[in-house]
Amino acid sequence: EMMVIFPEGAIFRDRVVHPLRPGLARLAIQAEQNDPSLNVQIVPIDLNYHDAVPSLGTDINIKIGQPLSVKNYCDASMSAKASAKDLTAALTQALTDLL
């Protein structure tokens, strides 16, 4: 199964990675901890539309980064909040690398 979440919490058109909300990381970590067989992956994706306000037929450039394996951020010695913070930082870096 697949889910799409925009971790910045809004759409920005300035080609800058804005601070990510922690919800994505928390959901992913909770899902992985509840069922490790899920093997939750977060795939960073950069969408760059040709037009500032895209419409049907607008050109788009899409860059797809390497998946982040959530199990690497499920450390029993850390709090869920600290784990989510680390995962959010890694995703921020992955998104920045795509720009």
Side-chain angles (χ1 to χ4, degrees):
E1 306 258 350
M2 194 178 322
M3 181 187 311
V4 175
I5 296 177
F6 292 88
E8 291 172 312
I11 295 172
F12 298 96
R13 303 187 196 299
D14 57 4
R15 306 290 303 141
V16 173
V17 176
H18 291 262
L20 305 186
R21 306 271 183 135
L24 169 62
R26 288 183 178 171
L27 283 171
I29 288 170
Q30 184 176 16
E32 185 67 27
Q33 288 175 336
N34 287 340
D35 186 355
S37 69
L38 289 175
N39 191 27
V40 177
Q41 305 282 312
I42 297 177
V43 180
I45 298 176
D46 173 53
L47 304 175
N48 184 16
Y49 291 95
H50 182 267
D51 299 331
V53 179
S55 60
L56 185 61
T58 299
D59 288 336
I60 182 172
N61 290 322
I62 301 171
K63 294 180 185 173
I64 301 172
Q66 292 296 318
L68 299 174
S69 181
V70 174
K71 69 180 172 189
N72 294 337
Y73 298 89
C74 294
D75 185 345
S77 68
M78 295 176 61
S79 70
K81 187 174 183 176
S83 295
K85 185 176 178 180
D86 287 350
L87 178 53
T88 300
L91 181 55
T92 298
Q93 185 60 55
L95 290 168
T96 301
D97 292 347
L98 291 176
L99 296 180

